[in-house]
Amino acid sequence: PEGDDIEISIDTSSRKKDLRGQVYLSIRAMSEGAIFASTSARIDVSTYRVMPVLMQPVLRGEQITNDHIEERRVDVTDVRGMEALDKAQIVGLVAKRNLPVDSLLSVRDFEMPILIERGSMNRIVINNGGVNMKVSGARALQSGRKGDIIIFSNPLNDKETLHARVMKRGVAVIN
């Protein structure tokens, strides 16, 4: 065709919201409303993003620190949405399994650290209206993470137990 009135359209039959991986394209060249050339092509689309990655191996049960992680540009073409997007989501958590160097970090790979160990002596803060009382020497009968409600021996009465919510290392609260 002659002239400057050439339109090229590229369409994909993909129903995916974001194009990544293998994508099939239909390419059409039109002039004056008529198609004068068409073809199809398969291309591989890669997506990259800055994400936290392990700089050193992490063992199951090990707590993650800033020294374990660096943020770097990585291929996330095959990532499906559970990966941690920044260091803040991971630092302070504990690995559920052994993790190798250069691993993309999924939130499913980590859990909150245990703050109260079974058998340890702890302080329980009791809040009842405007009255606050602290009880020391409560032995944990279960291990717990922040937010867990666990059972303690009552140091004031050996025949009773206390159920309290773990707040921080060695401290639980009854409201």
Side-chain angles (χ1 to χ4, degrees):
E2 293 184 20
D4 295 330
D5 189 22
I6 297 175
E7 179 182 325
I8 297 176
S9 68
I10 302 173
D11 296 313
T12 177
S13 58
S14 175
R15 290 182 171 81
K16 295 188 281 185
K17 287 184 180 180
D18 59 343
L19 299 177
R20 60 169 86 182
Q22 286 193 346
V23 177
Y24 294 91
L25 302 175
S26 297
I27 305 165
R28 284 186 288 283
M30 299 174 64
S31 177
E32 299 177 8
I35 296 174
F36 69 88
S38 69
T39 189
S40 60
R42 184 186 80 202
I43 62 171
D44 289 317
V45 178
S46 296
T47 306
Y48 288 83
R49 183 175 188 160
V50 174
M51 306 266 297
V53 177
L54 284 179
M55 296 186 315
Q56 56 189 311
V58 173
L59 300 176
R60 180 177 179 255
E62 190 174 349
Q63 191 165 18
I64 303 298
T65 66
N66 276 319
D67 294 336
H68 289 106
I69 301 170
E70 73 176 354
E71 292 185 335
R72 93 170 75 119
R73 187 175 180 263
V74 292
D75 184 350
V76 294
T77 304
D78 297 325
V79 169
R80 295 293 172 232
M82 292 302 292
E83 280 64 28
L85 299 178
D86 61 43
K87 283 181 166 184
Q89 287 182 283
I90 301 298
V91 171
L93 298 180
V94 174
K96 288 184 184 178
R97 61 183 181 86
N98 293 343
L99 299 168
V101 171
D102 292 330
S103 293
L104 276 180
L105 304 175
S106 170
V107 294
R108 293 179 296 216
D109 294 332
F110 301 95
E111 60 191 0
M112 297 292 291
I114 291 177
L115 297 178
I116 295 181
E117 296 281 347
R118 180 178 184 201
S120 66
M121 301 302 278
N122 301 276
R123 185 175 69 217
I124 296 182
V125 178
I126 302 169
N127 297 321
N128 190 357
V131 178
N132 293 328
M133 184 170 103
K134 294 178 184 171
V135 177
S136 294
R139 183 176 307 280
L141 301 178
Q142 299 172 293
S143 294
R145 294 175 170 80
K146 184 173 183 171
D148 290 349
I149 296 176
I150 62 173
I151 303 171
F152 295 86
S153 65
N154 185 345
L156 305 176
N157 183 346
D158 291 341
K159 296 178 184 174
E160 290 182 1
T161 57
L162 302 170
H163 293 75
R165 183 176 309 276
V166 177
M167 296 306 288
K168 59 185 179 180
R169 190 164 303 283
V171 178
V173 173
I174 298 174
N175 288 325

